[in-house]
Amino acid sequence: MLALSLPLPAMAEFRPLDDGALAGVTGQAGVTIEMETKVSVDRLSWIDEGSINVNGLRLSGQNDTVLDNMKVTIDIAGQGEVLEHGFSEIARRADAGLLSTGNADVADALAKYSLAGEFGKQFNSGDLVIHLGATDYGDPTVLDDYLRAVDFELAVDSLTTSGSEGTTSLFSNVLLQGYVGPTDLVIRNGGTNTRTLANGNTVSGSELQLDTHFEITNGHLNWDAADLLFVFNFAAVGIEGLQIHNRRGNDTLGHFGMASATAKLSRGTSAASGKEGLSVHDVEFRADIDMPTFRIGPNSIGSVQFTDFAITDTTMMVYGH
């Protein structure tokens, strides 16, 4: 109907684009979404012969408020295009003289994200780039306003397993409060190319890349069942005042005091078994972890701290059996 309403000279200008012309179309304008939300799930279950259940899941702002002040930018990159990524906004402010490079993290961001007058990361043609930041970062000269612009709260009543023998509680009374830093989700356009990891696994060149920074300022949980993790081999553990950050030790540079996590996901084939599945590779997690109140039963045994806690060189191949 729109085409019929146009004058003939205007209609004459509509022409199909060939592949060469389409290659020159990029997503430089992009899409911006300002978002606020609250999410709650009464029960999330994975059912096999038995089931594992996440009960009473809630994601919100701190103190059960609306999770808000979030801005998502979505772009499809052109060849060599520089798009917002990580702490590139900090680099932009430093370049404008709004933040002092006397701060080592700020100086690192300026060096890392400044590219020929632009600020961000360079991408290839067809890469889908999604960046989560804040709608309002507050005073552009105050670094803490930037780092604490998006607050969140994650609560879980319990994590349980169920089967013919009954139900076992693994964790309960879980609450995590903190701040979300810059978070990037990139789908790399690698076409049909593949590459081989150090362990021999073959993975697709088209992969999803996750890069995020965050801080937990207050958290607690009850650890109800033993033998879940290698760190502590006993049950009836309670943790209060949990904090996860990156302010101590030798690997703080570039993280602005926040914990960080990166991972890549793609289709892959295991070199060991020949099975095809989901490859999770180049996984890295870095943080300092504080547990000021560590209980066994009703009594505290003191505090526990991890400094420079790092998970690196991690690869997983996930498939059904």
Side-chain angles (χ1 to χ4, degrees):
M1 294 298 293
L2 176 60
L4 291 176
S5 68
L6 294 172
L8 287 177
M11 290 181 64
E13 294 303 314
F14 286 99
R15 295 187 177 90
L17 295 175
D18 59 24
D19 290 344
L22 282 171
V25 178
T26 68
Q28 292 184 9
V31 174
T32 297
I33 303 171
E34 296 182 3
M35 184 170 65
E36 60 181 51
T37 187
K38 287 180 71 175
V39 179
S40 63
V41 180
D42 183 59
R43 174 174 291 185
L44 174 64
S45 299
W46 173 35
I47 303 171
D48 193 359
E49 295 300 320
S51 66
I52 184 167
N53 313 294
V54 181
N55 305 300
L57 172 68
R58 174 174 54 81
L59 177 63
S60 66
Q62 291 185 17
N63 302 314
D64 200 18
T65 57
V66 173
L67 179 60
D68 60 3
N69 197 31
M70 294 184 296
K71 182 175 72 174
V72 180
T73 57
I74 305 173
D75 291 274
I76 300 176
Q79 187 60 43
E81 186 175 5
V82 176
L83 296 171
E84 190 170 9
H85 190 274
F87 291 104
S88 58
E89 172 61 23
I90 295 296
R92 182 179 291 107
R93 295 185 189 186
D95 183 74
L98 298 174
L99 294 171
S100 171
T101 53
N103 181 308
D105 284 336
V106 172
D108 180 78
L110 183 59
K112 183 177 181 180
Y113 296 105
S114 180
L115 298 170
E118 297 183 90
F119 303 95
K121 185 174 181 178
Q122 194 171 57
F123 293 95
N124 299 323
S125 178
D127 290 346
L128 175 61
V129 182
I130 303 173
H131 178 79
L132 171 65
T135 305
D136 181 7
Y137 281 116
D139 188 335
T141 66
V142 178
L143 192 55
D144 279 350
D145 281 6
Y146 173 90
L147 298 174
R148 302 203 162 192
V150 181
D151 65 86
F152 77 93
E153 179 172 290
L154 176 65
V156 177
D157 289 344
S158 64
L159 177 66
T160 61
T161 60
S162 299
S164 60
E165 300 299 320
T167 298
T168 298
S169 177
L170 307 180
F171 295 97
S172 62
N173 193 28
V174 180
L175 178 71
L176 300 175
Q177 295 177 324
Y179 299 93
V180 181
T183 297
D184 297 278
L185 195 63
V186 178
I187 299 178
R188 285 286 191 176
N189 176 26
T192 59
N193 294 329
T194 61
R195 64 188 179 98
T196 302
L197 303 179
N199 66 353
N201 290 357
T202 302
V203 299
S204 171
S206 295
E207 61 187 10
L208 185 152
Q209 300 176 350
L210 170 68
D211 191 331
T212 185
H213 279 81
F214 65 94
E215 179 181 5
I216 304 297
T217 56
N218 182 46
H220 58 70
L221 61 88
N222 293 327
W223 186 345
D224 301 323
D227 298 319
L228 293 180
L229 296 173
F230 69 89
V231 181
F232 300 106
N233 188 29
F234 43 78
V237 168
I239 298 171
E240 299 175 7
L242 174 69
Q243 296 184 6
I244 303 176
H245 53 87
N246 192 350
R247 292 191 290 268
R248 294 193 304 267
N250 299 316
D251 67 350
T252 62
L253 184 64
H255 297 294
F256 292 89
M258 289 186 146
S260 63
T262 62
K264 297 175 182 177
L265 295 84
S266 70
R267 180 177 180 176
T269 303
S270 169
S273 66
K275 297 287 188 178
E276 290 190 356
L278 172 66
S279 174
V280 184
H281 49 276
D282 295 347
V283 175
E284 183 175 290
F285 172 75
R286 295 185 180 276
D288 302 322
I289 303 173
D290 299 338
M291 303 180 225
T293 301
F294 194 94
R295 289 185 290 102
I296 298 179
N299 300 315
S300 173
I301 63 169
S303 64
V304 176
Q305 288 188 343
F306 295 87
T307 297
D308 288 349
F309 184 97
I311 299 173
T312 63
D313 301 314
T314 301
T315 299
M316 295 174 282
M317 185 67 68
V318 184
Y319 52 86
H321 63 271

